[in-house]
Amino acid sequence: VWIKVTDATGKALVQKELKTGESYQVPADVAEPKLTFSRPEALTVTVGGTAVPPLGPPAKLVKNALLTPEALRARSTPAATPPTQP
């Protein structure tokens, strides 16, 4: 899967095709890292060793997905169910 990770200024930290089994770890000191990538179904994103839900629909280009631990953990939290009206 092809990835591009940028920082808050838009500076590219990495831009490459990851091979099967290859990984990239965003440095902890990067402000507002964002990921642009193809084929979300082929990419596993983890925070602290825990996988998060896919960052986009299959076979689509995803642009500027926020990669902060907080944003990624929030993807794993189910949305609150609105109360039903009697």
Side-chain angles (χ1 to χ4, degrees), residues 53 73-83:
R73 284 188 190 107
R75 296 182 61 74
S76 297
T77 305
T81 304

Side-chain angles (χ1 to χ4, degrees), residues 10 16 24 32 53 55 86:
K16 66 182 282 182
Y24 174 78
E32 293 184 38
L55 301 181

Side-chain angles (χ1 to χ4, degrees), residues 1-3 14 16-24 43:
V1 64
W2 176 86
I3 66 164
V14 65
K16 66 182 282 182
E17 186 171 337
L18 293 178
K19 295 180 172 101
T20 301
E22 187 177 6
S23 66
Y24 174 78
L43 184 68

Side-chain angles (χ1 to χ4, degrees), residues 3 22 31 44 62 71 84:
I3 66 164
E22 187 177 6
T44 301
V62 175
T84 56

Side-chain angles (χ1 to χ4, degrees), residues 57-74:
K60 298 289 181 181
L61 176 67
V62 175
K63 294 183 180 182
N64 298 317
L66 189 59
L67 290 180
T68 62
E70 299 79 20
L72 293 170
R73 284 188 190 107

